[in-house]
């Protein structure tokens, strides 16, 4: 018994050989980088008067980015992210692009390359092939140099190590400590703070630990690169390249990265998209992932977020594009206006039915770029081919639905899609696929099968294969007649694909001995059957592969047109989703302006209104650039405050809706794609102050409250560091004058409204408060009243600053959530606590103690537990102290005269 030779597809062999050669070439790229780069015309980085620039760019697919080869720590990177670092040798500044989501067309990569206009471009040897092609094309078009560096140069651990070695980060001057480090700090005295402690450790050559400690702290002031592993990897590769080039030009210098002339790091701003970081996206709830209900699943779903309420998309590409639009909102007014025009068109009453039909047909369009990629690689399944056919059908139906749109010819996305849809070619493609592939047989066999009457040779082989059972039965009968009866009582003739035709006989007991199996003489007839019939199944499969390959070559001619059509369909899908959300939630079209102005009439929080029964809308008006005319504050009060200001400061009771109001304004700007950037929360204030412009919108929600120290002196003004930080930030922004950004702030630091801090009469700030209503058990209004700026207000009067009203049991607080002009100089913390169940006596005591602390009358708390005699002694001591302080000792030169006057102040008899 022997096996026939297997027939293998020549196409499969070619694909394997080509793929193997490609992998071998890719692996050799990094290893032979030194030899290849030596043969290329390279541009040198000249450190004196150099005008060339270098950029390191990296991207990632679904992969693991190694953090350290010596540890087990790894970082998982999301698909399709890009980051970069660019060195400007003229300004000696490194610009960074933090880890950002990229699309399949590498628009952000191209925009980054165009903006930095790098002469030398570096990337990792593990970068994606299409990504490398984009970089290579840019380098060729610009006449620059493109290098693929070993992947070990693009690791976060190495990048962070290089970054912390930069002198401008690691070397701390005495001015940066906020005080002069005099000789006292280097003496035997104990260090007073962390800087003095590190200064004591400083060695003559510089303590490396101190340098890295300084660099780690100061790095956060420049960019959020710590949370961007790709960005740090690019920084490391860029710094290594610069150090090598510097060493090559200065052979006697081995300073490495520490010898580089780099003065700062700045976030690279892309002109046409809004710069918004991950912290702002999280604070505004642009995206919100919720864990799976099962603790055994690591899957997530979209929770209550802006993306969640806007995501009415029907296609996977549309959903991906919507996410991209929300991650990188456009700043182009024409692009935004075109989107608004499309939404207006889809919301027209006559277009409700056509818009619904468009969404229905979009639902049938799958991820065609992905399907085409699977087709090219030979990995496409039955569902992928069906998705291609559905695309050709639904694209034709889309074309018909677009023709029914009223005023659709004036909508840019409609015109683009009509021009892109090559219905005739797509229809031919769908018909060719549908006429070639046998869907039922393909589903049953889990592979692509060809219909009958497509290929005569294939049909003949299938016919023989289908009648193979009958043939094998006849052959088995013939064989039985030739085999001796004592050899076997029964036998089978079977066919195994790729093994051939085999005769199977039952195992005899005597064959298990050392003599083994007894083979009949001349038993080789199965070879004749293989030769006449052949190994049918592989022959059928190979022929079907050849037919499908021919079909694929005809299809791929129209692949680019299909990709373009899918891209426009994704854009259409997003705009239809916006229109559906606008109709469902009663959104209106914003009026876009080139001026840095925000004017919102009856604005609503798009997320908060989903979780409450009644939402109270509010207005907001902000105009950038209204600050102090110069760096010095005005010495006289401003008589005529403008109707609008660059800064709105909101006060009010606890849980009255201040945070909702602030984020509401930001989300409305975000949904309108307006020209604003957002830096939110305490950790982002430093970054905001460095990078904000007149087009920026800054939210300061209770900024500074996390810096209030604990202890008995926490509420005293001179120890309230949070209030000082808050005032300092506001004044700094006002001092920018015409470059003052738009600022929305909420605070409970009511002491900052005193005349020596944020006097409402001196500062160009609009003050608002959130209204609340206190009512008695009988329904009477118990409001203590809010304070208007227009009143002649003495903010040092603590009766106004801290009203003595405390709610009694049965009384309640009602939040009106309405923004009104003026200040609310009380957080009503005691009232809120009482309403929510805290005993009234505790609330009254807390309010009393708070007032004493605010008035600096801490002594009254101590007197409460003193006896009458102790109180008299304290009173007498106080009188003596006042007498002593009133004494004029400047003209007394004799010790005896001073003693006599002190004895008199103490009220004692003189002693000898």
């Amino acid at each position: 018994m022997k096996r026939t030779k297997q027939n293998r597809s020549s196409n499969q062999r070619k694909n394997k050989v080509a793929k193997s050669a490609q992998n071998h070439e890719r692996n050799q790229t990094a290893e032979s980088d030194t030899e290849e780069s030596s043969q290329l015309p390279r541009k040198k980085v000249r450190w004196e008067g150099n005008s060339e620039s270098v950029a390191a760019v990296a991207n990632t697919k679904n992969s693991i980015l190694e953090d350290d080869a010596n540890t087990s720590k790894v970082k998982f990177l999301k698909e399709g992210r890009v980051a970069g670092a660019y060195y400007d040798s003229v300004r000696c500044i490194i610009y960074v692009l933090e880890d950002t989501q990229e699309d399949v067309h590498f628009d952000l990569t191209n925009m980054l390359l165009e903006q930095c206009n790098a002469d030398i471009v570096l990337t990792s040897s593990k970068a994606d092939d299409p990504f490398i092609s984009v970089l290579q094309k840019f380098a060729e078009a610009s006449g620059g140099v493109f290098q693929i560096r070993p992947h070990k140069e693009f690791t976060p651990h190495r990048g962070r190590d290089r970054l912390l070695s930069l002198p401008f980060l690691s070397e701390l001057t005495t001015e940066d400590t906020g005080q002069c480090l005099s000789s006292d700090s280097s003496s035997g005295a104990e260090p007073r703070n962390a800087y003095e402690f590190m200064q004591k450790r400083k060695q003559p050559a510089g303590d490396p630990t101190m340098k890295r400690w300084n660099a780690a702290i100061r790095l956060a002031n420049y960019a959020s690169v710590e949370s961007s592993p790709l960005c740090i990897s690019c920084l490391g590769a860029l710094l290594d390249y610069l150090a090598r080039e510097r060493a090559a030009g200065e052979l006697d210098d081995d300073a490495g990265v520490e010898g580089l002339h780099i003065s700062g790091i700045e976030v690279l701003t892309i002109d046409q998209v809004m710069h918004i970081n991950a912290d702002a996206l999280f604070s505004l709830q642009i995206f919100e992932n919720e864990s799976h209900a099962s603790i055994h699943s690591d899957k997530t779903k979209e929770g209550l977020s802006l993306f969640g309420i806007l995501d009415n998309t029907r296609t996977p590409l549309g959903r991906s594009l919507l996410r991209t639009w929300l991650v990188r909102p456009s700043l182009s007014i024409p692009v935004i206006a075109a989107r608004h025009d499309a939404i207006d068109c889809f919301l027209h009453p006559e277009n409700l039915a056509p818009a619904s039909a468009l969404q229905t047909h979009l639902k049938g369009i799958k991820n065609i770029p992905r399907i085409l990629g699977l087709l090219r690689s030979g990995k496409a399944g039955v569902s992928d081919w069906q998705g291609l056919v559905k695309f050709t059908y639904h694209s034709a139906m889309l074309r018909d639905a677009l023709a029914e749109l009223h005023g659709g010819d004036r909508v840019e996305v409609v015109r683009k899609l009509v021009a892109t849809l090559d219905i005739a070619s797509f229809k031919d493609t769908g018909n060719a696929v549908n006429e070639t592939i046998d869907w039922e047989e393909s589903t049953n066999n889990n592979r692509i099968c060809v219909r009958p009457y497509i290929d005569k040779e294939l049909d003949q082989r299938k016919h023989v294969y289908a009648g193979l059972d009958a043939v094998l039965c006849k052959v088995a009968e013939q064989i039985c007649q030739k085999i001796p009866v004592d050899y076997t009582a029964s036998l089978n003739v079977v066919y195994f694909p790729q093994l051939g035709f085999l005769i199977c006989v039952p195992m005899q007991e005597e064959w298990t001995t050392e003599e083994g199996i007894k083979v009949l003489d001349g038993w080789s007839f199965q070879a004749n059957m293989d030769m006449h019939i052949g190994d049918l199944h592989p022959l059928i499969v190979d022929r079907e592969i050849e037919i499908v390959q021919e079909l694929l070559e005809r299809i791929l001619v129209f692949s680019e047109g299909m990709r373009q059509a899918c891209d426009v369909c994704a854009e259409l899908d997003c705009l239809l989703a916006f229109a559906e959300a606008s109709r469902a939630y009663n959104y209106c079209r914003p009026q876009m302006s080139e001026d840095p102005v925000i004017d919102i009439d009856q604005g609503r929080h798009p997320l908060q209104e989903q979780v409450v029964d009644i939402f109270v809308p509010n207005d907001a008006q902000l105009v950038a650039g209204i600050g102090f005319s110069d760096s010095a504050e005005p010495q006289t009060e401003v008589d005529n405050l403008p109707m609008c200001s660059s800064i709105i400061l909101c006060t009010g009771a606890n849980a009255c809706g201040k945070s909702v109001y602030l984020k509401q304004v930001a989300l409305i700007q975000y949904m309108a794609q307006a020209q604003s950037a957002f830096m939110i929360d305490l950790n982002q204030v430093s970054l905001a102050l460095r990078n904000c412009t007149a087009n920026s919108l800054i939210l300061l929600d209770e900024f500074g409250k996390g810096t209030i120290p604990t202890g008995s002196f926490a509420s005293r003004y001179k120890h309230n560091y949070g209030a000082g930080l808050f005032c300092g930030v506001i004044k700094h922004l006002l001092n920018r004058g015409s470059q003052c950004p738009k600022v929305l702030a909420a605070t409970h630091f009511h002491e900052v409204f005193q005349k020596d801090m944020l006097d409402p009469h001196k500062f160009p700030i609009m003050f608002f408060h959130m209204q609340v209503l206190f009512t008695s058990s009988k329904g009477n209004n118990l409001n203590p009243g809010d304070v208007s700026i227009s009143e002649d207000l003495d903010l040092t009067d603590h009766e106004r600053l801290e009203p003595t009203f405390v709610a009694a049991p049965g009384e309640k607080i009602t939040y009106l959530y309405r923004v009104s002009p003026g200040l609310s100089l009380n957080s009503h913390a005691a009232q809120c606590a009482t309403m929510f169940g805290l005993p009234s006596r505790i609330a009254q005591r807390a309010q009393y103690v708070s007032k004493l602390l605010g008035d600096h009358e801490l002594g009254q708390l101590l007197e409460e537990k003193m006896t009458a005699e102790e109180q008299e002694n304290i009173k007498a001591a106080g009188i003596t102290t006042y007498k002593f302080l009133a004494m004029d000792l400047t003209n007394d030169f004799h010790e005896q005269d001073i003693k006599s006057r002190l004895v008199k102040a103490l009220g004692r008899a003189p002693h000898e």
Side-chain angles (χ1 to χ4, degrees), residues 437-470:
I437 297 179
D438 189 330
W439 302 112
E440 183 177 358
E441 185 179 356
S442 298
T443 303
N444 294 334
N445 295 331
N446 197 26
R447 63 179 181 84
I448 306 302
C449 299
V450 178
R451 290 180 182 272
Y453 310 112
I454 299 297
D455 184 81
K456 184 177 181 180
E457 180 184 356
L458 178 63
D459 292 343
Q460 292 177 349
R461 291 176 180 174
K462 286 187 174 182
H463 177 72
V464 175
Y465 185 75
L468 195 57
D469 290 341

Side-chain angles (χ1 to χ4, degrees), residues 362-546:
L362 282 172
K363 191 175 183 179
I365 295 181
K366 307 303 179 184
N367 191 342
I368 296 302
R370 172 185 169 274
I371 291 176
L372 291 174
L374 293 174
L375 293 176
R376 290 179 185 273
S377 63
K379 299 179 180 179
V382 178
S383 61
D384 299 318
W385 284 95
Q386 290 175 340
L388 181 63
V389 175
K390 289 180 180 179
F391 164 75
T392 61
Y393 167 76
H394 288 288
S395 62
M397 301 304 295
L398 278 174
R399 179 64 178 83
D400 296 339
L402 290 174
E404 298 178 6
L405 280 175
H406 177 74
D409 55 339
R410 297 189 295 271
V411 177
E412 182 180 351
V413 68
V414 174
R415 296 196 302 266
K416 286 167 56 179
L417 188 54
V418 170
T420 306
L421 290 175
D422 188 356
I423 301 301
S425 300
F426 295 170
K427 185 177 181 180
D428 292 341
T429 299
N431 290 338
V433 174
N434 203 37
E435 293 171 358
T436 302
I437 297 179
D438 189 330
W439 302 112
E440 183 177 358
E441 185 179 356
S442 298
T443 303
N444 294 334
N445 295 331
N446 197 26
R447 63 179 181 84
I448 306 302
C449 299
V450 178
R451 290 180 182 272
Y453 310 112
I454 299 297
D455 184 81
K456 184 177 181 180
E457 180 184 356
L458 178 63
D459 292 343
Q460 292 177 349
R461 291 176 180 174
K462 286 187 174 182
H463 177 72
V464 175
Y465 185 75
L468 195 57
D469 290 341
V471 174
L472 294 180
C473 289
K474 292 182 180 180
V475 172
E477 293 176 357
Q478 296 174 1
I479 294 175
C480 286
Q481 297 175 1
K482 299 179 181 180
I483 296 178
V485 178
D486 58 346
Y487 185 77
T488 182
S490 63
L491 62 83
N492 289 325
V493 179
V494 298
Y495 167 73
F496 289 102
Q498 297 185 353
L499 291 180
F501 297 91
L502 304 176
I503 299 175
C504 300
V505 297
M507 188 70 176
Q508 304 295 332
E509 184 176 354
E510 57 267 21
W511 293 352
T512 60
T513 63
E514 295 181 356
E515 295 181 0
I517 301 174
K518 181 181 178 181
V519 181
L520 295 176
D521 295 336
W523 201 345
S524 60
F525 55 83
Q526 78 280 1
N528 296 328
M529 193 172 180
D530 285 340
M531 193 162 34
H532 288 290
I533 298 179
D535 195 356
L536 285 176
H537 188 270
L539 292 176
I540 292 173
V541 173
D542 287 349
R543 182 54 186 156
E544 287 182 329
I545 290 176
E546 292 174 357

Side-chain angles (χ1 to χ4, degrees), residues 344-355:
D344 269 349
C345 176
F346 300 145
L347 289 175
H348 196 279
E350 296 183 11
N351 290 333
L352 295 182

Side-chain angles (χ1 to χ4, degrees), residues 27 174 226 390 399 458 594 625 737 799:
N27 292 333
T174 56
E226 286 284 0
K390 289 180 180 179
R399 179 64 178 83
L458 178 63
E594 295 284 354
E799 289 299 319

Side-chain angles (χ1 to χ4, degrees), residues 26 55-61 80-85 97 100-113 121-139 146-149 154 230 234:
R26 185 67 176 277
V57 194
N59 86 319
T60 182
K61 300 180 285 186
R81 298 185 72 82
V82 66
L97 176 66
T100 310
Q101 194 69 29
E102 178 63 291
D103 56 27
V104 295
H105 301 293
F106 299 102
D107 292 334
L108 181 59
T109 302
N110 287 315
M111 194 178 302
L112 170 64
L113 293 172
V121 180
L122 313 174
T123 194
S124 168
S125 59
K126 290 190 177 181
D128 197 8
D129 286 334
F131 179 75
I132 290 179
S133 299
V134 171
L135 302 183
Q136 190 171 8
K137 289 180 181 179
F138 171 81
F146 173 61
Q147 291 187 14
I148 300 178
R149 303 298 306 173
F154 283 82
L230 267 181
C234 293

Side-chain angles (χ1 to χ4, degrees), residues 195-391:
Y195 282 108
E196 288 192 5
F197 173 78
M198 298 303 295
Q199 185 72 10
K200 279 181 168 291
R201 295 188 57 191
K202 187 174 182 181
Q203 304 298 326
D207 184 10
T209 304
M210 185 190 70
K211 288 186 176 182
R212 294 181 65 85
W213 183 76
N214 291 335
I217 292 177
R218 303 176 73 189
L219 178 60
N221 291 335
Y222 292 88
S224 301
V225 296
E226 286 284 0
S227 59
S228 302
L230 267 181
C231 182
I232 289 189
S233 302
C234 293
L235 276 168
L238 176 64
L239 293 174
D240 279 342
Y241 179 88
L242 295 176
R244 287 194 304 269
E245 292 297 317
R246 185 175 186 273
E250 303 175 13
L251 298 179
D252 58 341
D253 191 344
D254 59 350
V257 174
E258 295 183 4
L260 297 177
H261 305 309
I262 297 176
S263 60
I265 299 176
E266 294 182 11
V267 176
L268 185 61
T269 56
I270 307 299
D271 292 337
Q272 297 300 316
V273 295
M274 182 191 300
H275 174 67
I276 179 167
N277 53 28
D279 292 324
L281 292 174
F282 174 79
S283 298
L284 292 177
Q285 283 185 264
I286 305 300
F287 304 100
E288 182 71 27
N289 288 332
E290 289 185 354
S291 300
H292 195 274
S294 173
I295 62 174
H296 303 289
S297 176
D298 57 353
K299 295 182 179 180
T300 60
K301 65 176 182 179
E302 191 69 29
L304 180 63
S305 64
L306 183 63
F307 178 77
I309 66 174
L310 296 180
D311 183 23
N312 301 305
T313 55
R314 299 321 198 251
T315 67
L317 289 179
R319 179 181 174 88
S320 176
L321 181 61
L322 176 61
R323 181 174 290 272
T324 300
W325 281 3
L326 293 183
V327 171
R328 298 198 311 273
S330 175
L331 297 182
S332 172
I333 295 296
V335 171
I336 298 172
R339 294 174 183 175
H340 292 167
D341 291 340
I343 297 173
D344 269 349
C345 176
F346 300 145
L347 289 175
H348 196 279
E350 296 183 11
N351 290 333
L352 295 182
S356 178
L358 287 172
Q359 288 185 306
T360 301
H361 295 301
L362 282 172
K363 191 175 183 179
I365 295 181
K366 307 303 179 184
N367 191 342
I368 296 302
R370 172 185 169 274
I371 291 176
L372 291 174
L374 293 174
L375 293 176
R376 290 179 185 273
S377 63
K379 299 179 180 179
V382 178
S383 61
D384 299 318
W385 284 95
Q386 290 175 340
L388 181 63
V389 175
K390 289 180 180 179
F391 164 75

Side-chain angles (χ1 to χ4, degrees), residues 11-42:
N11 289 334
Q12 293 176 341
R13 291 195 298 269
K14 291 179 181 178
N15 288 339
K16 289 184 177 180
V17 171
K19 191 171 293 184
S20 176
Q22 181 183 11
N23 292 337
H24 176 74
E25 179 183 357
R26 185 67 176 277
N27 292 333
Q28 292 295 323
T29 301
E31 299 174 359
S32 61
D33 180 76
T34 305
E35 291 119 13
E36 292 179 0
S37 60
S38 62
Q39 299 174 1
L40 295 174
R42 301 177 59 190

